Every structure is written in C-alpha cells, then in structure tokens.
C-alpha cells in the first residue's frame, strides 16, 4: 500500500489564525454594543400623569429626559402619577403598572407619585435592582421629598431621573447581596465588569494567537518534507467509561440583619443590599418609598 503523504499547508494555518482573530473581534464588538444599551426602536410613552399634577410643558420635558435615560442605561423608565390606586398599596400599584407595560422579566424602574396615600414609590425590576440598592433608594427619596412637600411634582421626577443616572454610572456595588424579604434569605450577586470581560477576551486572544503561532513555527522548517509515520504511531485502545454522580454538598449561611436601620421600604440594613419581593404577576421587584 502506498503511504499517504500528510502535509501542512501554510495557507490553511494562516487562514485559521485569521478566522480566530475575526471571531474574537466580532464577539468583543457585540459585547460592547450590548453594554452600551443602544436602542433601535423609537421613543415610547414614558409619562403617565393620571392625577393631573404636571403641565403639558413639564410632561413633554420629562418624557424627553426619561427616554434619554432609557437609552443611556438600556433599561425601561416610566413616570406615573395617580389619585386612585385601585385599593392597592403604592408598592403593588407601581409593580403592577410596570409589569403590565413591559412584562415581569423586563429590566427598569417605575417612579410613582401616589396622591391617594400621598406616597412616593420607586419600583425596580431586572438589572435595575442591582444598581438601585436599598441605601441608594433612600438617598433618592431624601432628595425628592422636599420637592413633593412643596408641591413641585415635576421636580420630584427630575430628581429621580438625575439620581438614577448618577447611580447607574457608579455601577453595581461590590459585595452586593440580594435579600429576599419573603424567604428571609440573602444571595450574593456575582457579576463581571466590562473591564474584566475585555481583559479576559484579550487574554484568550493572546493565548490562541500564541498557540497557532507555535504550530506555524514548529513546522516552518519542515514544509513539504514532513511525512507522519502513521503506521508506527497509530494505536487503538478501546475502554469502557462510566460516570457516576455520587453526591453534592451545598453550604448556606444567613447574614444577620441590622434592625437599627429605620429606612422606609428597605430591608437588611446593609449598605450593599437590594431587598426584593414578588409582585402579583410573579415578577421580582426591588423598591422603596415614603410619605410626604
């Protein structure tokens, strides 16, 4: 039998390297585009002044600012006023209003001025829960409370929008815990920052390039003359392999609550905690509020 002459064409190796580099660049570009929160759809209604607290000029201005914030953070933003909460608490009304508009799994925030109970409420959903923690929500309510007490309801919404953008730019706090108010348990949030993802992508790209480059360098001096001794080096070894799952071990711990924190609408008492609950539609929401 005539021996098969195995060759390693240089063009094929370079083509593989170029394809790997191209795929890495496409992946990085897609990641950056998602992180930027670019929106291809047109503006949506963001202001629902059901209590008639805003002038037309104020409503138009807030609509523009809310749409800008939505584009900047890539999450939905809606501003609502009501003088009839349908018998619901301010929390439930804000949660349900957001879920009805966007669905229970959408990320975003609903700012509510409830005149039926004279409450301010901020309802967060999805990734916005990680940005607007309990302490950050209390800070936002502190800033907005004076506007509400003075009857400047446009100022309330402007304050909410300004603070949301500021906290979003600061990013998700490190060592963030998610506190489930219904089960009383904490879950540590683990996230990868944009810089960490870029470093990982660059490291993977460098490792791949080094590997391909090593193969190219290894066979460069033997081009066109190398014949793999397949008869001498070939071997078949059939074995039986069986995987058995033996057991798993899960460790849980509860972080004690600080009962001395009197902030309204928040739980846990820690600076890097977002307290969550389940809405009537089954969505997970964070949030906080207070009277004025």
């Amino acid at each position: 039998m005539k021996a098969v002459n195995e060759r390693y064409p240089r063009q094929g190796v370079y083509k593989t390297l170029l394809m790997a580099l191209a795929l890495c660049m496409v992946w990085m570009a897609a990641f950056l585009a998602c992180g930027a929160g670019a929106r291809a759809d047109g503006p949506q209604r963001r202001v629902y002044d059901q209590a008639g607290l805003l002038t037309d000029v104020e409503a138009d201005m807030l609509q523009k600012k809310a749409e800008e914030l939505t584009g900047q953070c890539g999450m939905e933003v809606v501003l609502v006023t009501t003088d009839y909460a349908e018998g619901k608490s301010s929390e439930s009304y804000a949660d349900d209003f957001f879920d009805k508009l966007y669905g229970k799994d959408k990320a975003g925030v609903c700012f509510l001025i409830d005149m039926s109970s004279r409450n301010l409420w901020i309802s967060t959903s999805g990734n916005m829960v990680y940005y607007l923690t309990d302490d950050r929500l209390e800070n936002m309510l502190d800033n907005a409370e004076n506007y509400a007490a003075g009857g400047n309801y446009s100022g309330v919404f402007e304050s909410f929008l300004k603070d949301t953008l500021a906290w979003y730019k600061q990013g998700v706090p490190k060592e963030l815990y998610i506190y489930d108010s219904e089960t009383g348990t904490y879950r540590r949030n683990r996230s990868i920052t944009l810089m960490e993802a870029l470093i990982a992508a660059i490291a993977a790209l460098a490792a791949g390039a080094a590997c391909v480059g090593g193969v190219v360098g290894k066979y460069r001096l033997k081009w066109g003359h190398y014949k793999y001794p397949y008869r001498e080096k070939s071997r078949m070894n059939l074995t039986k392999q069986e995987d058995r799952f033996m057991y798993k071990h899960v460790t849980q711990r509860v972080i004690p609550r600080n009962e001395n924190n009197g902030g309204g609408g928040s739980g846990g008492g820690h600076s890097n905690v977002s307290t969550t609950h389940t809405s009537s539609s089954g969505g997970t929401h964070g949030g906080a509020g207070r009277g004025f």
Side-chain angles (χ1 to χ4, degrees):
M1 181 182 293
K2 186 177 180 180
V4 178
N5 186 14
E6 297 289 343
R7 296 174 180 265
Y8 295 80
R10 181 178 303 182
Q11 293 83 354
V13 175
Y14 286 147
K15 183 179 293 184
T16 301
L17 177 59
L18 290 175
M19 289 180 64
L21 293 173
L23 286 174
C24 288
M25 293 177 66
V26 169
W27 180 86
M28 291 174 65
F31 182 87
L32 291 173
C34 292
R39 295 175 54 85
D41 53 346
Q44 302 176 11
R45 184 178 178 185
R46 302 289 173 189
V47 179
Y48 293 81
D49 183 22
Q50 301 170 127
L53 304 180
L54 307 171
T55 66
D56 291 341
V57 173
E58 290 172 338
D60 290 342
M61 177 268 295
L62 291 171
Q63 166 71 28
K64 180 179 179 180
K65 289 189 174 183
E67 185 64 28
E68 289 175 352
L69 179 58
T70 297
Q72 288 171 312
C73 66
M75 291 178 272
E76 305 296 343
V77 177
V78 62
L79 315 178
V80 183
T81 73
T82 186
D83 53 8
Y84 175 61
E86 303 173 359
K88 302 177 182 179
S89 66
S90 298
E91 177 186 89
S92 296
Y93 188 88
D95 292 347
D96 292 345
F97 198 98
F98 184 91
D99 291 346
K100 185 179 295 185
L101 281 179
Y102 306 112
K104 65 180 182 178
D105 298 321
K106 196 73 170 179
V109 59
C110 174
F111 300 115
L112 170 68
I113 300 178
D114 183 359
M115 297 303 293
S116 64
S117 57
R118 295 192 66 82
N119 277 329
L120 304 178
W121 196 270
I122 306 173
S123 172
T124 57
S125 177
N127 288 338
M128 191 63 84
V129 172
Y130 304 132
Y131 289 94
L132 299 186
T133 63
D134 293 354
D135 277 7
R136 292 179 175 184
L137 289 171
E138 291 301 320
N139 175 266
M140 294 171 66
L141 290 167
D142 288 341
N143 296 335
E145 187 176 16
N146 290 334
Y147 292 106
N152 184 358
Y153 302 113
S154 176
V156 171
F157 286 135
E158 287 187 75
S159 178
F160 280 156
L161 295 172
K162 178 182 177 182
D163 288 344
T164 299
L165 180 59
W167 290 124
Y168 175 77
K169 288 183 176 180
Q170 286 200 24
V172 177
K174 294 182 179 180
E175 301 295 326
L176 173 65
Y177 287 86
I178 307 301
Y179 173 68
D180 188 328
S181 62
E182 296 165 356
T183 63
T185 58
Y186 286 82
R187 172 178 60 84
R188 183 178 178 181
N189 177 61
R190 299 182 183 275
S191 60
I192 299 177
T193 65
L194 177 60
M195 183 58 66
E196 290 172 339
L198 289 175
I199 292 175
I202 293 173
L205 182 61
C211 181
V212 175
V215 173
V216 173
K218 181 177 180 180
Y219 295 106
R220 180 171 297 163
L221 298 178
K222 302 178 181 180
W223 224 273
H225 303 286
Y226 178 74
K227 182 187 299 183
Y228 182 77
Y230 68 94
R231 294 182 182 276
E232 294 80 1
K233 293 185 177 297
S234 61
R235 184 178 62 179
M236 179 179 293
N237 184 20
L238 298 178
T239 61
K240 180 180 179 181
Q241 179 176 333
E242 182 178 355
D243 295 330
R244 291 186 179 183
F245 176 77
M246 301 299 294
Y247 63 90
K248 70 176 181 178
H249 179 71
V250 178
T251 301
Q252 294 182 334
R253 66 189 181 95
V254 176
I255 302 176
R257 297 181 60 181
N258 181 359
E259 302 294 345
N260 294 325
N261 185 359
S266 63
H270 302 280
S271 59
N272 292 336
V273 168
S274 282
T275 302
T276 62
H277 58 274
T278 304
S279 67
S280 62
S281 62
T284 298
H285 290 263
R290 70 177 58 164
F292 64 93

